[in-house]
Amino acid sequence: MGACAFQQNALLKIGGVEHRLLQKVTSTLWQLEETKTRRIVELEHDQLLKGYVSRTLVFPSSGFVAHCGPANSGLSAEGFETAKVRRAYVVKALNVPNSREALERVSSEVWQQIHVPKKAPCFTSLYLWKKSFLAAKGDIRALVDRTCQRA
């Protein structure tokens, strides 16, 4: 689910400065134009990708970009199942307030239906899942368990 792409005329910000992708000069080299100064900059495709990963390069038209975890092809079956279970809770919580009482009620209701995980998730977890899911515009990868990535 991608709303942005490195393609001709795409707008992006690098370090807060807006650029337009003018053209691909070679198979790996992009020519960009700063929108305010009209200054031409050339960057390798790999540099653009590294900037996107480090979040120094953003596509302003896409709004907030959330970290969505690995692409589905690199996602384990267990990781995808966890994300699907979390999505079941989040979908029920989408139209309720983010109060402790409301989220605890949703968590309990969903748990009574599916009995996964071993106990109903706490309201804080459900709130964080909901927040990530909404920021990712409904991308299930936002619900992948990334606790192993913590430092």
Side-chain angles (χ1 to χ4, degrees), residues 4-6 9-21 32-36 41 43 47-65:
C4 306
F6 293 111
N9 293 320
L11 288 176
L12 48 92
K13 283 188 178 181
I14 302 172
V17 178
E18 190 173 74
H19 293 78
R20 179 180 305 281
L21 287 172
L32 297 86
E33 177 185 59
E34 287 186 30
T35 56
K36 286 189 179 179
V41 180
L43 293 173
Q47 289 175 286
L48 295 171
L49 290 173
K50 287 177 185 174
Y52 182 73
V53 169
S54 68
R55 297 185 182 166
T56 57
L57 181 153
V58 295
F59 291 89
S61 61
S62 67
F64 177 73
V65 178

Side-chain angles (χ1 to χ4, degrees), residues 83-142:
K84 286 189 338 187
V85 167
R86 290 178 176 182
R87 185 180 179 279
Y89 285 92
V90 169
V91 167
K92 281 282 201 179
L94 287 176
N95 295 317
V96 301
N98 289 330
S99 68
R100 179 181 188 146
E101 296 79 22
L103 293 176
E104 283 178 344
R105 186 177 64 260
V106 167
S107 181
S108 178
E109 288 172 6
V110 174
W111 192 84
Q112 290 297 323
Q113 293 173 355
I114 65 175
H115 295 287
V116 178
K118 293 182 182 188
K119 64 179 186 171
C122 68
F123 77 96
T124 307
S125 294
L126 182 51
Y127 167 75
L128 293 173
W129 298 341
K130 179 180 173 181
K131 181 179 171 188
S132 295
F133 188 73
L134 290 171
K137 298 182 178 154
D139 191 333
I140 194 170
R141 293 174 296 163

